[in-house]
Amino acid sequence: MHRPRTAEELTDTLRSVDTEVRRLITLANALLDLEQLGSGERIQRAPIALGGLLSEACTPYRTAVERDGRTLTIEHDRVTVYVDPRWLEPAIGTLLDNALRHGGGAIRLQAESHDGRLRLSVADQGPGFPPDFLPYAFDRFSRAEASRTTPGSGLGLALVAAVAASHNGTAHAENTPHGAMVTLDIPC
């Protein structure tokens, strides 16, 4: 604004501002979601076909999976679960997004229902979590050193843990011999 700019320079600046505004909106929304989940507001459980829930959660990520030359495998029990899809669907999406951005190779989404509990996990074949990061993986604004150069706020796994807790469940992150895996275990 202090000197004349070409149309191209103005366009680049506006694109940069737009990207930053979108990032701030995403951050504000994530913080609001965390606050809402932590405020004790009751989730709205409803019967939903597990396969349909997983399919809806995966749809936005299929193009990125194909573009990156990776595969996404979905394995699930053919059951109806009693969960709040308004919260569980974006939690699954966060796990898929993390696997795409920070992982490598094939991504596997697996969901099993047993004894009134839903165990849902997303695994990838990437480098896994840095071991010293695992105890803090679900803390707000916590980011592994390797992810500090990629977009993100460090709120994704915090939201996943809050969704699990709001369903009276837990979230767990671990390294496997093949990569990283995050698991939700919730009553259903």
Side-chain angles (χ1 to χ4, degrees):
M1 293 182 61
H2 299 295
R3 67 176 175 84
R5 309 256 182 203
T6 66
E8 185 177 316
E9 288 175 319
L10 288 173
T11 299
D12 288 345
T13 300
L14 287 174
R15 282 191 181 119
S16 176
V17 168
D18 181 59
T19 298
E20 189 63 18
V21 167
R22 289 176 192 271
R23 189 186 73 75
L24 290 171
I25 289 169
T26 300
L27 176 63
N29 286 336
L31 287 168
L32 289 170
D33 288 346
L34 282 167
E35 185 60 32
Q36 187 175 1
L37 283 168
S39 71
E41 179 180 312
R42 299 188 60 89
I43 60 169
Q44 302 296 314
R45 288 182 186 259
I48 187 163
L50 182 56
L53 173 70
L54 299 178
S55 179
E56 285 293 318
C58 291
T59 296
Y61 301 94
R62 293 189 188 281
T63 301
V65 168
E66 290 175 18
R67 179 196 66 225
D68 293 352
R70 297 172 67 185
T71 59
L72 171 60
T73 305
I74 304 169
E75 302 170 9
H76 63 87
D77 292 342
R78 301 201 183 289
V79 296
T80 297
V81 292
Y82 294 87
V83 297
D84 189 334
R86 175 183 66 140
W87 290 109
L88 195 55
E89 191 176 305
I92 296 167
T94 294
L95 296 179
L96 294 171
D97 185 59
N98 282 353
L100 278 164
R101 287 193 294 136
H102 306 296
I107 300 169
R108 188 185 77 207
L109 169 58
Q110 186 173 7
E112 304 170 308
S113 176
H114 184 69
D115 291 334
R117 298 196 71 80
L118 174 63
R119 183 176 168 90
L120 187 146
S121 63
V122 173
D124 66 62
Q125 297 175 329
F129 295 102
D132 59 337
F133 172 73
L134 282 170
Y136 310 102
F138 297 101
D139 292 353
R140 290 181 185 192
F141 304 109
S142 178
R143 296 181 64 186
E145 281 303 318
S147 70
R148 293 196 187 274
T149 58
T150 60
S153 61
L155 291 174
L157 289 179
L159 179 65
V160 168
V163 169
S166 71
H167 281 81
N168 297 315
T170 60
H172 176 74
E174 66 184 301
N175 289 323
T176 71
H178 307 289
M181 182 165 66
V182 178
T183 303
L184 299 179
D185 185 345
I186 59 176
C188 66

